Amino acid sequence: MKLYYSPGACSLASHIILNEINVDFDLEKVDLKTHITEKGTNYYQINPKGYVPALEINPGLILTENVAILPFLAQHDPKQDLIPPSGLGRAKVLEWLGYLNSELHDAYSVFFGAPLTDDAKQKAYAELDRLLTYIDQAIVASGNEYLVDDNFGPADAYLFVLTNWSNLIKHDLTPFQNVVALRKKVAARQSVQIAMRDEGLIP
């Protein structure tokens, strides 16, 4: 398999899960401004949507979108800890991935487009806080170690990556103590440390 990624982008979640399942894979960095890969390929020829991640499963067979790639990779976990094979447990993972993708990801994305006015920025911060308040309270209500159960999974990787962007936009996460605690557990995983080093995000 090959993962097309941009350092620190949402493709980092797929990179983390690839490390978790301990398979051989290649990485190819994409410049999202020029849409040229590090090997000089026009990225639109690989993924016409133009954004990451894209997972090449076999030559010419490409899967895109986090909500598809993350459970696809997680189901290859030999321990079957990353995602339940079926039933309500699997549905809860997909529920979280859908929420993170459609709500939290979009709420962060507005900061990376055209420059925001001060008023628009404050409204965008408030929307982030609203979404993170829900997540923070859901973690408490569940009584679980992670978002779905007591096992780390793809939704946790995705939440970790998205909330990393708070550092880039000067957004304070400290009010969300349960989110911060979950982030610390995720950050300590070897799969995460390796992925972040490989992408040049940490020494």
Side-chain angles (χ1 to χ4, degrees), residues 105-124:
H105 194 153
D106 279 1
Y108 275 106
S109 292
V110 300
F111 289 92
F112 304 116
L116 300 174
T117 65
D118 288 343
D119 183 57
K121 188 177 291 186
Q122 292 310 310
K123 288 179 179 177

Side-chain angles (χ1 to χ4, degrees), residues 86-153:
S86 61
L88 182 60
R90 188 181 183 90
K92 295 298 287 185
V93 173
L94 300 180
E95 178 183 32
W96 269 115
L97 289 175
Y99 182 78
L100 294 172
N101 185 71
S102 64
E103 301 291 335
L104 191 62
H105 194 153
D106 279 1
Y108 275 106
S109 292
V110 300
F111 289 92
F112 304 116
L116 300 174
T117 65
D118 288 343
D119 183 57
K121 188 177 291 186
Q122 292 310 310
K123 288 179 179 177
Y125 282 140
E127 176 64 3
L128 272 181
D129 289 345
R130 182 184 72 84
L131 298 173
L132 288 167
T133 295
Y134 166 74
I135 296 170
D136 203 65
Q137 293 173 349
I139 293 170
V140 173
S142 73
N144 296 326
E145 288 290 314
Y146 293 96
L147 285 177
V148 174
D149 51 31
D150 291 333
N151 294 316
F152 168 81

Side-chain angles (χ1 to χ4, degrees), residues 1-179:
M1 287 189 282
K2 178 190 286 187
L3 178 68
Y4 292 90
Y5 79 101
S6 183
C10 62
S11 50
L12 176 59
S14 295
H15 192 172
I16 290 168
I17 299 300
L18 278 164
N19 286 339
E20 286 280 342
I21 62 176
N22 196 29
V23 296
D24 291 330
F25 64 94
D26 295 318
L27 294 169
E28 189 161 344
K29 185 164 62 174
V30 180
D31 184 327
L32 293 178
K33 292 182 179 179
T34 64
H35 293 92
I36 301 297
T37 76
E38 62 184 320
K39 294 185 178 179
T41 303
N42 181 344
Y43 185 58
Y44 283 114
Q45 294 178 351
I46 297 160
N47 179 11
K49 299 171 185 175
Y51 50 75
V52 293
L55 181 71
E56 186 174 56
I57 301 167
N58 291 309
L61 178 58
I62 303 290
L63 185 64
T64 64
E65 306 295 339
N66 278 305
V67 294
I69 293 173
L70 291 170
F72 173 79
L73 291 174
Q75 72 189 15
H76 292 285
D77 171 28
K79 304 184 298 300
Q80 285 296 304
D81 285 342
L82 292 177
I83 188 169
S86 61
L88 182 60
R90 188 181 183 90
K92 295 298 287 185
V93 173
L94 300 180
E95 178 183 32
W96 269 115
L97 289 175
Y99 182 78
L100 294 172
N101 185 71
S102 64
E103 301 291 335
L104 191 62
H105 194 153
D106 279 1
Y108 275 106
S109 292
V110 300
F111 289 92
F112 304 116
L116 300 174
T117 65
D118 288 343
D119 183 57
K121 188 177 291 186
Q122 292 310 310
K123 288 179 179 177
Y125 282 140
E127 176 64 3
L128 272 181
D129 289 345
R130 182 184 72 84
L131 298 173
L132 288 167
T133 295
Y134 166 74
I135 296 170
D136 203 65
Q137 293 173 349
I139 293 170
V140 173
S142 73
N144 296 326
E145 288 290 314
Y146 293 96
L147 285 177
V148 174
D149 51 31
D150 291 333
N151 294 316
F152 168 81
D156 306 297
Y158 198 7
L159 177 62
F160 173 80
V161 171
L162 295 179
T163 51
N164 271 350
W165 298 347
S166 281
N167 296 321
L168 301 176
I169 63 171
K170 299 180 180 178
H171 172 251
D172 185 14
L173 286 176
T174 55
F176 313 104
Q177 295 182 2
N178 301 291
V179 171

